[in-house]
Amino acid sequence: DGMQALADGKINFIVECSPLLGPQLMELVEKVHAGETVEPRVVTEETTFTQEQAKAVLPERQY
């Protein structure tokens, strides 16, 4: 709803907190379970959007 509101001009900026981080989390869990070392800090891929960017990506958003 926030991306649509942004595209409609009802708000003017969004900072994304993606709910699609499951695969990245599971990869880390599998590495830990296998005894591998993982980085103490993992940076997720999230971003910000302006109204123009929201209009461009909204049709293909998964959430």
Side-chain angles (χ1 to χ4, degrees), residues 35-57:
E36 298 178 39
T37 302
V38 297
E39 294 293 321
R41 181 173 185 258
V42 176
V43 178
T44 59
E45 292 187 29
E46 299 179 304
T47 190
T48 60
F49 294 93
T50 63
Q51 184 177 9
E52 295 77 26
Q53 292 167 322
K55 287 179 183 178
V57 301

Side-chain angles (χ1 to χ4, degrees), residues 5-62:
L6 179 61
D8 293 343
K10 295 177 181 175
I11 58 177
N12 60 15
F13 195 76
I14 285 183
V15 177
E16 177 184 53
C17 182
S18 175
L20 304 175
L21 300 176
Q24 183 182 24
L25 173 62
M26 287 309 300
E27 180 182 329
L28 290 168
V29 168
E30 289 170 357
K31 286 181 177 181
V32 170
H33 185 69
E36 298 178 39
T37 302
V38 297
E39 294 293 321
R41 181 173 185 258
V42 176
V43 178
T44 59
E45 292 187 29
E46 299 179 304
T47 190
T48 60
F49 294 93
T50 63
Q51 184 177 9
E52 295 77 26
Q53 292 167 322
K55 287 179 183 178
V57 301
L58 193 56
E60 56 199 45
R61 295 295 285 180
Q62 296 180 21

